Amino acid sequence: MSMWVYEKKLQYPVKVSKCDPRMAKYLAEQYGGADGELAAALRYLNQRYTIPDKVIGLLTDIGTEEFAHLEMIATMIYKLTKDASVEQLEAAGLGAHYVAHDSALFYENAAGVPWTAAYIQAKGDPIADLYEDIAAEEKARATYQWLIDMTDDVDLMDGLRFLREREIVHSLRFREAVEMLKEDRNTKKVY
């Protein structure tokens, strides 16, 4: 059985009202930042190898959804910059990105720091890893709120609100998994 079935559509429609390289630069935080979607997807799909069986599916589901979110962020960045002039990119602080990558997306944060595997946490202790995952979701939720605060584009806000709400759901699901594993640990059903 295949782990993924790819549908040629985004998880949620991505619309933007205007060219806005400044917002594209900020959105890079969720594309290639420490608390962004790539780091989350890889973290969860990696952790599932050392987590109890009853939680593997949760990590797989959420890790897979994070890839869908990564695709949404990439689409937002592309749409916000596709009509930008070199002067607009430079004014938004994307001059160095343009020189190195033209209009190609690159896994880097809003400050232009390239993504690194050091962003992926995996302790091997299920409770510790799930608390790390809760923190990652809450940091992503906060970042989405701050991105919403930085734009007046109602179409972009809609997609960002969707992503923020999914982070809340993921955090709640990880919290439920912690409680389930704590209960197993307390009743001597050692994981």
Side-chain angles (χ1 to χ4, degrees):
M1 185 167 139
S2 174
M3 184 154 128
W4 286 291
V5 175
Y6 180 72
E7 293 184 35
K8 292 185 179 187
K9 66 178 187 170
L10 296 174
Q11 182 183 17
Y12 188 84
V14 168
K15 298 177 185 169
V16 301
S17 299
K18 60 185 175 183
C19 175
D20 190 348
R22 178 189 66 92
M23 275 308 296
K25 177 180 171 64
Y26 297 148
L27 281 168
E29 192 63 33
Q30 289 302 88
Y31 191 68
D35 303 315
E37 301 296 352
L38 178 64
L42 295 175
R43 177 184 302 114
Y44 307 151
L45 293 175
N46 184 59
Q47 288 175 351
R48 66 197 175 108
Y49 291 101
T50 55
I51 203 101
D53 288 346
K54 61 177 27 175
V55 185
I56 290 172
L58 176 65
L59 287 170
T60 303
D61 290 348
I62 295 176
T64 300
E65 185 176 346
E66 300 294 3
F67 279 126
H69 296 172
L70 184 68
E71 187 176 30
M72 288 176 65
I73 293 294
T75 302
M76 289 174 185
I77 293 169
Y78 169 75
K79 287 183 173 189
L80 289 167
T81 60
K82 71 180 179 80
D83 297 324
S85 68
V86 173
E87 292 78 19
Q88 288 174 306
L89 293 171
E90 192 170 23
L94 292 171
H97 178 92
Y98 176 79
V99 169
H101 308 288
D102 189 6
S103 62
L105 275 75
F106 185 74
Y107 292 110
E108 60 190 6
N109 68 15
V113 177
W115 185 89
T116 172
Y119 296 160
I120 300 172
Q121 298 298 318
K123 188 68 176 173
D125 176 88
I127 302 293
D129 282 344
L130 287 167
Y131 276 124
E132 172 67 33
D133 300 344
I134 293 165
E137 294 297 325
E138 292 299 333
K139 289 186 274 186
R141 177 203 45 81
T143 302
Y144 280 122
Q145 183 57 56
W146 297 329
L147 288 165
I148 291 165
D149 295 345
M150 297 291 293
T151 187
D152 60 359
D153 184 332
V154 293
D155 288 330
L156 181 61
M157 280 186 212
D158 181 55
L160 293 172
R161 284 186 183 116
F162 170 82
L163 292 166
R164 181 192 61 198
E165 294 307 309
R166 294 307 301 160
E167 303 301 343
I168 293 168
V169 170
H170 295 168
S171 177
L172 292 172
R173 298 283 315 275
F174 285 139
R175 290 171 197 270
E176 292 166 1
V178 165
E179 293 308 312
M180 182 175 28
L181 293 183
K182 281 183 175 179
E183 185 178 309
D184 286 355
R185 184 172 63 187
N186 292 338
T187 59
K188 307 263 190 250
K189 295 178 189 172
V190 179
Y191 44 78

